[in-house]
Amino acid sequence: MSNKIITINGNEYAFTEGETILAVARRNGIDIPTLCHLSGATPTGACRVCMVEVEKARTLMAACALPASDGMVVKTESPKVVKSRRMTVELLLASGEHDCVVCPGAGECRLQELAMRYGVAGKKFPKTKSRYGLEDVNPMIVRDFSRCILCGRCVQACNEIQVNRAISFGYRGKKSKIVAGEDMALKDSECVFCGQCIEACPTAALMEKGARVKIRPWEGKKVRTTCPYCGVGCQMWLHVKDDKIVKVTAVKDGSPNKGRLCVKGRFGFGFIHSPERLKTPLIRKDDGGFREASWDEALDLVASKFREIIAKDGPDAIAGVSCARSINEDSYAMQKLFRAVLGTNNIDHCART
Amino acid sequence: MTNSFSEFAKSKMFLVIGSNMTEAHPVAATFVKNAVLNGARLIMVDPRRHKLADFAELHLPIKVGSDIALLNSLMNVLIEEDLYDRKFVATCTMNFEALKNKVAEYPPERAAGICGIPAETIRDTARRLASVKPAMLIYTLGITEHTCGVNNVMSTANLQMLLGNMGMECGGVNPLRGQNNVQGACDMGALPNVYCGYQKVIDQKAREKFQKAWNVPKLPDRNGLMIPQMMEGLVSKKVKAFYIFGENLANTEPDIHKVEHELKSAEFLVVQDIFQNETTRFAHVVLPAAAWSENDGTFVNSERRVNRVRAACPPPGEAMPNWWIFTEIARRMGQDWPSKSARELWDNEISVLSPNLAGIKYRRLENDGLQWPCPNEDHPGTCFLHKDGQFTCGLGVFSPIDWTPPAEVPDEEYPLVLSTGRRLYHYHTRTQTGRCEGLNDMLPEETADISYADARARGISQGEMIRVKSRRGEIRVKARVTPEVPPGMVWMAFHFREGNANFLTNAVFDPVSLTAEYKACAVRVEKI
Ligand code: SF4
Ligand code: FES
């Protein structure tokens, strides 16, 4: 930290060269509301929600984009600032469908939060109907353009965080729209369905198709866990309702994935609740089929067969393969079973793939 | 991995070999792409021009299985032009002269013939690599799934030591592990030669330690069998009982016809899984297991990070945690194990018995986990290994290595090379992803990826059903004609039973690791 000082709301704070007003404020627990700002991406200054009053500046300034400078004096909630934020929110509410009562995103919407925080009802201006409707022709992501406020966070998530370069701003002026490729359906575009855009979207314009109407933000429980697929080991939240996982989101700032997931991590949980899951032990019948059995019967059979084979052919006539997908404790227990109980080192797993 | 994912985005130079990261490790790839957007440089070595090539300043489309020739040749240039790290080599390594003599046999002109890369490009690549320090080397199964897999791995280490890129942030040799907990299964000793914490079963001291801990009079003192040996043992009757936990071997192992014959030969086969699959067809007993989100436990990721897995919902029917099943079998065979939960297994056994995990306890894993080595409970964990050139056995040892071709190379009858791997939307044999709405819609069937040139020569059009044939079998599959694949190559995944590439792959193995050569066998492509 240098000895340069910025004054925010009457208090002095040190900062490092290049830090934005927003960064200094956040570091010191001062809440400047933002909408378009996405951490880890370059600030675009698109939404004007983070405007603050800077002494000697002629206009309000975007805290997310403006670097702090020595001797700067900033007010984050002055009457002028509040007035501007109200106006910004009014205008956003007037463009498109922002009908919180029936919105699947209600309760988890930055726009709704801002409206509440600044007491904005969205009645000041006549509503302009949105030009674009809903796209749900892919199995994973629903794009509801009528709720899109064109903040551009999804575009940044796609281009700067995940760097998949599938979506961008298309058209101009009143026709502006977030487009995939040359404005095609996501499933026909370069999109790889990592869903980072959903995570970035501050409203309900982008949502997981499966979860959209299944769970409200305040329902169910959230369980932190580690992704079961590749060796990156992303940290994720399972959103669970009535003992069913209904959606998965990334743990913000968690290591190693820093709030990112891929398509398998985010959308690859349905198998857990498949009706095809094995539910009871099975034993092979003489006619070749399986019959259901109790744990006692199945495990007694396994133990007695193992005993019989060890007696006849020795412990090395038994071999086992552990699972590289399952938890450590399972692999440990299996090798212990083979070594300490059965008496063989014939235990392996697909370590090399 | 010697290093950590958090270093990716900060790195200045990458050499990525045999790693289709954007599909197989998508989130890891995002950090590499972030670094490139911030000015980092990326050199990619891969027969296929997959997505990451869009971010590379140089893509070397080497011939399948020519990695060692390329790496030796790069080292040849580095030594020849005096571009290597003399200080690191002098102070932190051994056996440099032997390496030097070996790579002297690989001038770029010779390597060019083996790799299909112009000699000048090899020189240029070596110079670029030497120009930025440190450079991070990342590889995946393109390196290991060869009959020379272990040699490939050692060659990558040779290169990084020669460049002095070991033991520092943003450097190192970094294999991205294919499966979520393959690192953990190794750490736990699910291997024929070591207990948890890599303590050798042939070491009497280690045996005594575990005998005492497990309260048994004697532990077996010879190394056990590896998977391919077990499978062959089923046929030779050396192995009578086979216990498969959570692996669909009937689809994942090379040469399915051979594998199925082996499984059929088992006198007693126990399969423990969450679904019926191609492997349970051969089982005598099937045990229903609790799945991922129904367990408390831990995984270890590629960067040695031990992270928590937490139960979110109960298992269906009577399915039970895997460790419970093993504990119950032990009890029926006369041993009452003290640990009655995953946490007790970890806190009271695993971390107590494994020196590199000694400091890791469940209570320390609430948030982002810990990276081993973590020798005591005050230790913060370890982001990168071999700090300041300290290798496990003192100095880093160079291994002079010769290039060897794949076991089966194209000929007149089978003129193309088949290489296999994974695609973005599926995982392995789809026992899981095949039951996920969405994923299955995005990729509902297998394809054989072939070049425009090979398609044209055979009159094959996009999406047409074709026949792919090897000495071991044949399949019918849709052609996907793509510029990603160079002429002379067919690329396939092994996600689907229909058209599974493992009907074609060659059951030949690296002599040390017994990893199968999934990346190279000879095939023929025919119009139907
Ligand atoms: S979310 Fe994707 S990248 Fe992350 S661990 Fe899972 S499969 Fe790997
Ligand atoms: S958050 Fe600063 S302009 Fe949108």
Side-chain angles (χ1 to χ4, degrees):
Chain A
M1 203 87 24
S2 65
N3 46 11
K4 297 189 172 143
I5 297 291
I6 179 174
T7 306
I8 306 178
N9 299 343
N11 297 317
E12 297 189 341
Y13 304 99
F15 63 92
T16 19
E17 201 65 44
E19 253 187 313
T20 60
I21 299 176
L22 179 66
V24 183
R26 287 212 171 144
R27 204 159 38 68
N28 292 291
I30 302 164
D31 179 23
I32 303 178
T34 60
L35 203 50
C36 70
H37 176 263
L38 182 66
S39 69
T42 32
T44 56
C47 75
R48 318 315 271 169
V49 164
C50 68
M51 300 307 255
V52 291
E53 202 176 328
V54 177
E55 223 175 72
K56 295 202 192 91
R58 276 181 295 122
T59 56
L60 295 180
M61 307 297 281
C64 70
L66 190 68
S69 64
D70 198 21
M72 202 178 234
V73 178
V74 176
K75 286 193 194 125
T76 69
E77 294 283 337
S78 67
K80 216 167 142 191
V81 167
V82 170
K83 192 169 162 226
S84 145
R85 284 194 195 138
R86 281 210 179 111
M87 180 61 93
T88 306
V89 176
E90 283 286 3
L91 287 168
L92 286 172
L93 287 174
S95 64
E97 287 314 317
H98 300 291
D99 43 0
C100 303
V101 182
V102 293
C103 178
E108 207 174 27
C109 173
R110 286 291 288 152
L111 183 58
Q112 190 184 37
E113 268 169 43
L114 286 169
M116 302 287 282
R117 176 164 169 178
Y118 292 100
V120 179
K123 301 225 168 81
K124 204 164 186 165
F125 303 110
K127 284 208 181 297
T128 47
K129 219 166 150 33
S130 92
R131 275 166 199 272
Y132 308 105
L134 191 116
E135 178 200 311
D136 64 351
V137 290
N138 71 74
M140 290 177 257
I141 301 176
V142 178
R143 304 163 86 192
D144 183 350
F145 293 101
S146 72
R147 301 187 192 281
C148 172
I149 55 172
L150 295 168
C151 68
R153 282 168 61 101
C154 57
V155 174
Q156 288 194 300
C158 185
N159 291 277
E160 291 190 40
I161 306 292
Q162 291 263 350
V163 206
N164 288 323
R165 301 171 172 173
I167 54 174
S168 60
F169 274 97
Y171 311 109
R172 269 160 206 254
K174 286 203 161 61
K175 284 190 177 167
S176 283
K177 180 190 182 190
I178 307 297
V179 296
E182 318 270 279
D183 196 7
M184 44 178 112
L186 279 182
K187 72 173 174 47
D188 303 319
S189 75
E190 289 286 300
C191 172
V192 291
F193 294 94
C194 67
Q196 202 68 38
C197 55
I198 303 177
E199 204 122 5
C201 179
T203 72
L206 294 167
M207 287 187 93
E208 299 87 351
K209 193 171 193 173
R212 198 163 175 267
V213 288
K214 269 202 201 133
I215 188 168
R216 313 306 314 271
W218 52 87
E219 285 181 323
K221 59 172 179 180
K222 270 168 78 182
V223 179
R224 180 173 171 161
T225 198
T226 306
C227 175
Y229 290 107
C230 85
V232 176
C234 295
Q235 293 300 295
M236 48 174 54
W237 293 107
L238 305 179
H239 300 247
V240 183
K241 187 182 164 191
D242 303 331
D243 279 343
K244 294 249 176 336
I245 304 171
V246 287
K247 107 175 163 177
V248 172
T249 53
V251 174
K252 283 218 171 43
D253 303 321
S255 283
N257 50 314
K258 306 287 176 221
R260 306 166 185 203
L261 292 175
C262 80
V263 63
K264 286 187 285 278
R266 193 181 303 277
F267 296 107
F269 57 84
F271 72 94
I272 290 286
H273 307 301
S274 159
E276 289 162 25
R277 282 286 301 278
L278 285 167
K279 295 185 192 71
T280 97
L282 303 172
I283 292 178
R284 175 82 61 194
K285 293 185 292 185
D286 291 337
D287 70 4
F290 282 120
R291 66 176 171 81
E292 297 188 351
S294 70
W295 274 112
D296 273 333
E297 189 191 1
L299 293 174
D300 284 343
L301 174 65
V302 172
S304 70
K305 269 281 182 189
F306 283 173
R307 248 186 316 231
E308 190 184 308
I309 289 169
I310 293 171
K312 205 160 74 183
D313 302 291
D316 288 337
I318 306 178
V321 176
S322 187
C323 175
R325 310 288 309 285
S326 197
I327 53 175
N328 292 316
E329 292 76 1
D330 291 344
S331 270
Y332 170 82
M334 188 175 189
Q335 60 96 34
K336 180 175 174 185
L337 173 71
F338 269 68
R339 297 189 156 119
V341 181
L342 306 180
T344 176
N345 283 317
N346 288 343
I347 175 79
D348 199 4
H349 72 285
C350 56
R352 301 147 200 109
T353 53
Chain B
M1 282 165 53
T2 57
N3 293 59
S4 298
F5 289 119
S6 62
E7 295 161 44
F8 282 23
K10 295 188 270 185
S11 294
K12 294 279 164 276
M13 169 70 111
F14 298 94
L15 177 62
V16 177
I17 311 185
S19 175
N20 177 13
M21 300 171 83
T22 51
E23 290 197 74
H25 300 89
V27 169
T30 65
F31 296 119
V32 173
K33 293 185 282 186
N34 294 154
V36 171
L37 292 190
N38 283 329
R41 301 168 59 182
L42 166 63
I43 297 176
M44 176 176 128
V45 178
D46 201 300
R48 284 194 304 154
R49 193 191 154 76
H50 53 70
K51 267 262 180 68
L52 198 63
D54 295 349
F55 297 85
E57 64 177 40
L58 204 57
H59 168 215
L60 273 49
I62 60 167
K63 284 194 190 143
V64 174
S66 65
D67 310 71
I68 294 171
L70 175 73
L71 292 165
N72 275 352
S73 190
L74 290 173
M75 292 188 270
N76 173 299
V77 178
L78 292 172
I79 295 173
E80 196 67 23
E81 302 189 2
D82 200 11
L83 296 171
Y84 68 99
D85 188 331
R86 278 177 174 274
K87 185 156 166 258
F88 187 88
V89 168
T91 54
C92 305
T93 69
M94 275 165 53
N95 215 21
F96 174 67
E97 282 306 313
L99 177 87
K100 186 175 166 186
N101 293 336
K102 180 49 67 193
V103 302
E105 297 167 25
Y106 292 84
E109 281 66 27
R110 174 173 174 223
I114 302 172
C115 309
I117 302 294
E120 230 4 81
T121 309
I122 296 176
R123 287 205 175 84
D124 179 32
T125 306
R127 290 173 196 143
R128 289 183 199 223
L129 281 173
S131 71
V132 182
K133 199 157 168 186
M136 183 175 251
L137 189 148
I138 300 172
Y139 72 80
T140 309
L141 301 173
I143 281 290
T144 47
E145 289 181 348
H146 280 289
T147 42
C148 57
V150 170
N151 283 345
N152 278 345
V153 170
M154 292 201 289
S155 300
T156 62
N158 283 344
L159 176 68
Q160 283 297 68
M161 289 195 292
L162 191 64
L163 285 165
N165 285 334
M166 295 297 264
M168 51 175 78
E169 210 182 15
C170 301
V173 175
N174 299 286
L176 304 179
R177 309 302 308 249
Q179 310 193 61
N180 60 320
N181 201 34
V182 84
Q183 182 69 51
C186 291
D187 298 346
M188 292 304 107
L191 292 169
N193 59 340
V194 290
Y195 302 110
C196 53
Y198 302 96
Q199 302 164 81
K200 295 193 168 71
V201 300
I202 53 167
D203 171 10
Q204 192 185 332
K205 278 234 178 64
R207 279 202 310 278
E208 279 166 7
K209 169 177 170 181
F210 280 86
Q211 275 161 209
K212 195 153 157 257
W214 290 342
N215 200 13
V216 290
K218 195 171 148 302
L219 283 170
D221 57 3
R222 273 179 302 132
N223 288 339
L225 304 174
M226 293 194 246
I227 294 176
Q229 298 165 326
M230 294 175 183
M231 309 276 293
E232 275 154 25
L234 292 171
V235 178
S236 70
K237 297 293 170 198
K238 220 178 120 190
V239 176
K240 297 277 166 69
F242 197 26
Y243 193 153
I244 303 176
F245 158 31
E247 301 267 344
N248 190 5
L249 298 179
N251 272 12
T252 57
E253 298 304 290
D255 194 352
I256 289 182
H257 292 300
K258 175 169 173 277
V259 172
E260 294 193 341
H261 172 66
E262 290 163 341
L263 290 174
K264 230 178 271 166
S265 311
E267 207 173 284
F268 184 60
L269 179 64
V270 184
V271 177
Q272 182 167 313
D273 215 309
I274 62 173
F275 290 108
Q276 296 237 33
N277 57 34
E278 287 79 7
T279 305
T280 56
R281 287 184 297 140
F282 302 95
H284 299 96
V285 179
V286 177
L287 303 174
W292 161 66
S293 60
E294 297 152 359
N295 280 302
D296 281 310
T298 52
F299 289 156
V300 189
N301 78 351
S302 301
E303 54 175 7
R304 298 163 279 104
R305 185 186 296 277
V306 181
N307 243 329
R308 277 295 313 274
V309 175
R310 290 182 184 81
C313 42
E318 291 172 41
M320 290 298 276
N322 296 286
W323 58 263
W324 178 90
I325 302 174
F326 299 128
T327 308
E328 279 298 304
I329 296 175
R331 191 170 64 77
R332 284 172 163 78
M333 298 188 72
Q335 284 186 28
D336 221 341
W337 290 351
S339 299
K340 301 288 182 237
S341 68
R343 182 177 191 142
E344 286 177 16
L345 278 164
W346 183 279
D347 282 352
N348 304 340
E349 300 195 38
I350 298 165
S351 66
V352 174
L353 291 167
S354 319
N356 55 347
L357 305 171
I360 303 180
K361 300 285 179 191
Y362 265 41
R363 64 174 173 74
R364 294 190 69 193
L365 297 178
E366 275 317 304
N367 296 311
D368 284 347
L370 284 165
Q371 287 174 279
W372 68 254
C374 179
N376 62 62
E377 288 183 44
D378 300 318
H379 195 282
T382 308
C383 302
F384 61 95
L385 301 178
H386 314 308
K387 197 168 181 185
D388 306 321
Q390 295 293 314
F391 293 89
T392 341
C393 54
L395 299 175
V397 184
F398 283 114
S399 326
I401 284 161
D402 258 316
W403 168 74
T404 48
E408 189 181 62
V409 293
D411 54 21
E412 246 167 52
E413 217 188 329
Y414 297 97
L416 305 173
V417 184
L418 170 71
S419 223
T420 67
R422 301 180 178 126
R423 297 186 199 271
L424 176 64
Y425 293 108
H426 282 301
Y427 197 82
H428 277 209
T429 63
R430 280 171 63 255
T431 43
Q432 299 179 354
T433 52
R435 291 180 172 93
C436 294
E437 212 186 312
L439 297 180
N440 224 23
D441 299 301
M442 291 311 294
L443 184 67
E445 62 184 341
E446 190 57 86
T447 61
D449 298 0
I450 56 174
S451 67
Y452 282 101
D454 288 322
R456 216 176 301 119
R458 291 164 181 77
I460 293 168
S461 46
Q462 190 66 271
E464 180 178 332
M465 266 296 185
I466 57 171
R467 187 182 298 121
V468 187
K469 215 172 155 177
S470 81
R471 289 189 172 81
R472 293 150 297 275
E474 63 173 68
I475 53 169
R476 292 159 69 103
V477 65
K478 264 191 190 160
R480 177 171 167 261
V481 186
T482 165
E484 287 160 24
V485 174
M489 184 184 195
V490 183
W491 195 89
M492 292 187 67
F494 56 103
H495 299 313
F496 294 81
R497 178 71 182 182
E498 288 297 305
N500 191 306
N502 282 327
F503 282 106
L504 311 171
T505 46
N506 196 4
V508 287
F509 306 91
D510 180 279
V512 179
S513 71
L514 293 199
T515 298
E517 192 149 59
Y518 290 105
K519 298 298 185 204
C521 73
V523 295
R524 182 161 82 221
V525 164
E526 291 167 354
K527 215 173 150 74
I528 302 179

